[in-house]
Amino acid sequence: MEKSPCTTCHFISKAARVLTDVELETLESKCAQVSYRKGEVIFKQDALSTNIIYIKTGLIKLHMASKNRDQIIKIVKAPAYTGIPTTFAENINQYSATALQDTVACFIDVNAFKTFINNNGDFAFEIIINLCQDSLENYKRCVNRNQKKTPGRVAETLLFFAEKIFDREEFEFPLSRNDLADLICSSRESVSRIINDFNTDGLISLEGKNIAIKNRKLLEQVAKNG
DNA sequence: GCATTAACCACAG
DNA sequence: CTGTGGTTAATGC
């Protein structure tokens, strides 16, 4: 994708909209745009981080490596900032980001970003709202994960992709079975079985990587009741 | 006890 | 990377 100046960027964030013209010019000189292919690593856990990353287009996963296996912390759809907590709280990245689809990201110098927060209350406010929503979402996911059984978590995730990511009932599922397991804290095998059960029971239809939600009512039931 | 759930392992497309 | 079958451990009735 061609780099457009921040001042005229079509994918500008809600927060950046409240920056002054001068600040936007600063942003322009303090950011770089990078394109990624599906599967490419955007930033890696344990690396030194000096940038805030803005996902301009595409879809990524944030994941954290622990002793045995990866855990997917969240799926992030453009447009969104990511890596704010990891960059502000720690110099070292606490998690990795990998593209699930072709993705375009802007790397913003953290000091420029901090200056905006210090000088522009409206900007800071937008960023805080973002962080709060994020935090709330995480609490919910945490509760769900602990209270629901695996089929419920799978159903919920499928609905999440249909509603929040693709906004349609039929879509190409961007995660492998393993990724899905890492996302909902289950095993590859269980996830595999459950998805096939959903298919044979007519809740969804499966064609390769394509998933279509067939019986939304029932799927919601499963998602709700665990 | 017995049933259910789901992880882990091994093996095969 | 997926799907299947067997095994096993935990939990609930």
Side-chain angles (χ1 to χ4, degrees), chain A residues 41-224:
Chain A
V41 174
I42 296 167
F43 59 86
K44 209 162 150 48
Q45 187 172 346
D46 297 333
L48 197 63
S49 85
T50 48
N51 300 110
I52 302 290
I53 288 104
Y54 180 63
I55 305 298
K56 204 162 151 184
T57 64
L59 188 69
I60 67 168
K61 63 172 177 180
L62 303 182
H63 49 116
M64 201 178 248
S66 57
K67 291 187 181 69
N68 304 325
R69 202 156 271 98
D70 248 17
Q71 292 241 324
I72 297 183
I73 302 154
K74 90 180 278 217
I75 305 292
V76 178
K77 180 194 175 184
Y81 287 103
T82 185
I84 295 180
T86 209
T87 305
F88 279 172
E90 302 276 347
N91 282 327
I92 304 288
N93 285 331
Q94 301 293 300
Y95 49 82
S96 305
T98 304
L100 294 174
Q101 295 175 347
D102 291 353
T103 290
V104 177
C106 296
F107 285 67
I108 303 161
D109 179 72
V110 67
N111 289 319
F113 201 85
K114 280 179 183 166
T115 310
F116 299 152
I117 288 180
N118 283 330
N119 297 341
N120 188 328
D122 290 340
F123 179 81
F125 185 72
E126 287 297 335
I127 296 298
I128 288 174
I129 297 236
N130 266 253
L131 292 172
C132 288
Q133 285 170 342
D134 205 55
S135 177
L136 191 59
E137 213 178 285
N138 282 326
Y139 294 159
K140 285 181 183 167
R141 271 171 29 85
C142 182
V143 169
N144 275 331
R145 190 179 342 113
N146 289 331
Q147 291 188 350
K148 284 177 186 167
K149 288 182 300 215
T150 315
R153 306 207 295 268
V154 173
E156 197 168 50
T157 307
L158 294 178
L159 289 167
F160 165 77
F161 274 97
E163 286 165 18
K164 299 285 165 57
I165 303 294
F166 296 108
D167 197 25
R168 50 184 305 192
E169 301 287 281
E170 203 174 338
F171 51 87
E172 187 186 329
F173 196 59
L175 298 177
S176 68
R177 301 291 129 109
N178 220 336
D179 275 349
L180 180 51
D182 289 343
L183 177 62
I184 63 174
C185 302
S186 179
S187 70
R188 187 200 113 237
E189 294 95 325
S190 298
V191 162
S192 194
R193 281 184 246 259
I194 289 164
I195 287 191
N196 282 329
D197 286 349
F198 284 176
N199 188 29
T200 48
D201 293 345
L203 299 194
I204 61 171
S205 78
L206 254 183
E207 264 179 62
K209 291 226 159 224
N210 291 320
I211 290 180
I213 293 183
K214 286 291 173 197
N215 192 336
R216 174 170 265 276
K217 277 266 165 56
L218 251 178
L219 199 60
E220 279 169 354
Q221 205 84 47
V222 176
K224 198 167 166 228

Side-chain angles (χ1 to χ4, degrees), chain A residues 14-34:
Chain A
K14 204 176 167 208
R17 261 182 208 150
V18 302
L19 290 177
T20 64
D21 291 345
V22 177
E23 283 169 335
L24 268 179
E25 276 168 34
T26 308
L27 178 61
E28 170 67 24
S29 67
K30 296 288 185 184
C31 81
Q33 178 178 301
V34 188

